[in-house]
């Protein structure tokens, strides 16, 4: 597998299955790549805290802080050998806007929406942006932030997107309509540690296990008292 154009200090990743790009395959791949029906999907990799790109990027439409792995033929195109190729993508527009140059802004939430055709990110103090995966074009969605944090997973059976609140509680939101800031919906059962000595070490993680299902990984430090 090809290497990233630049190592990521604190990477985020989103995998979009092959079915999501099948209808737009001609737009998604470059002239040097050829769509493969056996391709399992596309892996997008991005920096969690990307640096501003105000200098040295004037003539570059893409950025080494946002990349994608796609499957296709090696150059020249007539070759029968196929492999995963990594290529840089255009960055969200705020990274090249002088208005935001004073600080680095963390991506607080990221999710696949639009039936697998768009990537949505919320950026601290900036707002929410959407990238069309067929054209790799970014567009602003709103100056509001998604109400969930970290990676957000869609559950088709419920028609809702699940993630965690700022207090690490499991929550859900409806992201099908983005004309205004989505709100949390429903009440969801939380995990109660069996002992008060269980201390949460880091934020919980959603682990996708396929078919619209996921499990929750939580990391605790426990104290064993000996008598």
């Amino acid at each position: 597998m090809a290497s990233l154009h630049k190592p990521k200090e604190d990477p985020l990743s989103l995998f979009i299955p092959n079915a999501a790009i099948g209808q737009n395959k001609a737009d998604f791949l470059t002239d040097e790549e050829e769509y493969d029906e056996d391709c399992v999907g596309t892996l997008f990799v991005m920096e969690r805290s990307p640096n501003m790109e105000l200098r040295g990027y004037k003539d570059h439409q893409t950025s080494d802080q946002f990349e994608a792995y796609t499957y296709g033929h090696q150059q020249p195109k007539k070759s029968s050998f196929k492999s995963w190729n990594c290529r840089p993508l255009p960055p969200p527009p705020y990274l090249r806007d002088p208005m935001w140059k004073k600080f680095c802004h963390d991506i607080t939430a990221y999710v696949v929406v639009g039936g697998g055709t768009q990537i949505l990110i919320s950026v601290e103090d900036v707002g929410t942006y959407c990238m069309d995966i067929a054209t790799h074009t970014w567009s602003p969605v709103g100056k509001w932030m998604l109400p969930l944090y970290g990676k957000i997973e869609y559950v088709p059976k419920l028609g809702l997107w699940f993630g965690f609140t700022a207090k690490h509680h499991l929550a859900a939101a409806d992201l099908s309509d983005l004309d205004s800031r989505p709100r949390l919906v429903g009440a969801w059962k939380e995990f109660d540690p069996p002992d008060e000595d269980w201390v949460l070490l880091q934020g919980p993680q959603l682990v996708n296990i396929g078919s619209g299902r996921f499990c929750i990984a939580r990391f605790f430090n426990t104290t064993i008292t000996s008598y």
Side-chain angles (χ1 to χ4, degrees), residues 49-52 100-106 124:
S49 301
N51 295 317
M52 298 298 293
W100 306 107
K101 67 180 181 180
K102 290 185 178 181
F103 306 100
C104 287
H105 303 272
D106 291 346
E124 183 182 24

Side-chain angles (χ1 to χ4, degrees), residues 18-45:
N18 181 41
I21 66 170
Q23 296 178 348
N24 302 307
K25 57 187 178 184
D27 296 326
F28 187 79
L29 301 176
T30 65
D31 293 337
E32 292 78 18
E33 298 171 335
E34 182 176 312
Y35 181 80
D36 191 281
E37 296 294 342
D38 296 326
C39 177
V40 294
T42 303
L43 178 65
F44 294 86
V45 183

Side-chain angles (χ1 to χ4, degrees), residues 27-214:
D27 296 326
F28 187 79
L29 301 176
T30 65
D31 293 337
E32 292 78 18
E33 298 171 335
E34 182 176 312
Y35 181 80
D36 191 281
E37 296 294 342
D38 296 326
C39 177
V40 294
T42 303
L43 178 65
F44 294 86
V45 183
M46 65 193 89
E47 283 282 13
R48 186 185 303 271
S49 301
N51 295 317
M52 298 298 293
E53 299 183 355
L54 300 179
R55 297 180 180 179
Y57 290 90
K58 184 177 181 180
D59 298 325
H60 299 276
Q61 294 183 346
T62 59
S63 168
D64 54 18
Q65 299 189 95
F66 293 80
E67 304 190 48
Y69 278 103
T70 56
Y71 191 79
H73 285 287
Q74 289 277 347
Q75 297 185 32
K77 191 174 181 180
K78 294 181 180 180
S79 171
S80 61
F81 181 71
K82 300 177 183 179
S83 67
W84 286 93
N85 302 300
C86 183
R87 59 193 177 111
L89 302 176
Y94 79 92
L95 287 180
R96 297 179 180 179
D97 186 340
M99 184 173 70
W100 306 107
K101 67 180 181 180
K102 290 185 178 181
F103 306 100
C104 287
H105 303 272
D106 291 346
I107 296 175
T108 61
Y110 55 107
V111 60
V112 177
V113 296
T117 63
Q118 299 170 318
I119 291 176
L120 201 67
I121 64 170
S122 276
V123 184
E124 183 182 24
D125 299 324
V126 178
T128 298
Y129 290 85
C130 177
M131 186 186 79
D132 186 301
I133 70 163
T135 61
H136 298 157
T137 55
W138 288 93
S139 57
V141 178
K143 294 184 178 180
W144 42 262
M145 306 287 289
L146 290 170
L148 301 170
Y149 290 80
K151 186 178 182 181
I152 302 171
E153 294 282 358
Y154 178 58
V155 179
K157 186 176 181 179
L158 300 176
L160 295 172
W161 284 258
F162 284 78
F164 297 102
T165 66
K167 295 183 178 181
H168 305 312
H169 294 160
L170 180 66
D174 184 356
L175 304 183
S176 59
D177 183 2
L178 298 173
D179 289 337
S180 59
R181 185 177 188 267
R183 296 184 178 182
L184 299 180
V185 296
W188 308 95
K189 187 175 181 180
E190 261 299 323
F191 172 73
D192 292 322
D195 194 290
E196 62 181 11
D197 291 334
W198 284 40
V199 179
L200 192 66
L201 290 178
Q202 64 184 61
Q205 302 288 327
L206 288 182
V207 181
N208 191 323
I209 57 177
S211 301
R213 298 179 299 169
F214 60 85

